[in-house]
Amino acid sequence: MDAETLSALGSLASAVAAIAAAVISIVSAFYTRRAANAAASQTELQREIVREAAAPYVWVDVRTDEAQGDAFNLILGNSGPTFAHNVRAKIEPPLPDAGVPSSKAVVAQRRLRDGIKSLGPGHKLVWFIGIGHQIVKDDAPQLHTITVEADGPHGPLAPMTYESDLADFRETRDAPEGNLHFVRKAIEKIEKRLPNPDRPVRVLVENQDGE
């Protein structure tokens, strides 16, 4: 093999080596960039998890009263671990007032629309809005769309929208939870047996001689 051939083979080998080094460099850079992007995504995901874990969870619902099962309450609650600020809720169409004095249902919904300054973790605001069987007496859907907005420690929360159908309460058991209701009923029975304050009561007292 002459010198010219050897020189050509050497140049070819050098070129192949250079190409191989370039390919390795490109592949290495690709995987390095990919690893860096994955690490950045993982870090952002962890930050998002921390933000969500620290966010308040604000909700609005209609529930029966725990002490008086036939009473309906409109409740604003915060089930999250931190304070919620500038809490706003809209109910469309508005809940019926069912003849409640001073239109408490209307007032409560207006207050929610105007906004609540703050609501602490585990805190609830409760408004009585009417008697259950009066509100759901009509045999028709009573679908209401509720939209809740609030600010958390890291800024505005994503608006939450869901539907509530008051017709679901029809034919449900309206007995209150716990024993306070039955205690009250027992007291009412006792009161009926007590002497009437409008009638005089005779009290007989015996002395030591039995007179």
Side-chain angles (χ1 to χ4, degrees):
M1 186 177 293
D2 57 19
E4 185 176 350
T5 302
L6 291 175
S7 177
L9 290 175
S11 298
L12 178 61
S14 297
V16 170
I19 293 173
V23 170
I24 292 173
S25 177
I26 293 173
V27 172
S28 176
F30 170 77
Y31 281 105
T32 300
R33 189 180 306 110
R34 184 175 180 179
N37 292 338
S41 299
Q42 185 67 23
T43 300
E44 181 59 32
L45 177 61
Q46 292 175 349
R47 289 176 179 172
E48 184 64 25
I49 292 174
V50 171
R51 283 195 294 266
E52 290 182 358
Y57 183 77
V58 184
W59 50 271
V60 172
D61 197 10
V62 176
R63 298 183 179 180
T64 55
D65 191 88
E66 293 182 358
Q68 300 181 25
D70 198 30
F72 273 13
N73 293 326
L74 177 63
I75 303 177
L76 168 67
N78 177 8
S79 299
T82 55
F83 266 85
H85 301 278
N86 302 319
V87 181
R88 302 165 302 281
K90 182 184 295 183
I91 304 176
E92 295 292 344
L95 299 174
D97 58 14
V100 176
S102 303
S103 300
K104 292 183 180 179
V106 176
V107 173
Q109 292 173 90
R110 183 171 66 243
R111 188 177 296 276
L112 288 176
R113 285 195 305 270
D114 293 342
I116 303 297
K117 189 65 176 177
S118 63
L119 190 67
H123 193 196
K124 295 179 183 178
L125 297 179
V126 182
W127 293 273
F128 168 68
I129 61 172
I131 303 301
H133 68 268
Q134 295 178 355
I135 294 178
V136 299
K137 62 181 179 180
D138 296 330
D139 188 14
Q142 291 180 273
L143 195 63
H144 301 271
T145 301
I146 303 174
T147 301
V148 182
E149 298 177 299
D151 296 335
H154 300 290
L157 305 177
M160 184 169 57
T161 301
Y162 49 96
E163 293 182 336
S164 176
D165 193 350
L166 298 185
D168 294 337
F169 285 99
R170 294 196 190 106
E171 291 85 35
T172 59
R173 181 173 176 266
D174 62 359
E177 299 292 336
N179 297 323
L180 293 180
H181 172 72
F182 302 104
V183 171
R184 179 172 60 83
K185 290 296 184 182
I187 293 174
E188 290 176 354
K189 291 181 180 179
I190 294 174
E191 288 178 343
K192 292 178 180 179
R193 297 181 181 180
L194 292 177
N196 191 325
D198 296 330
R199 294 197 303 266
V201 178
R202 294 183 61 190
V203 179
L204 299 179
V205 180
E206 294 184 356
N207 58 24
Q208 295 181 351
D209 299 329
E211 297 179 354

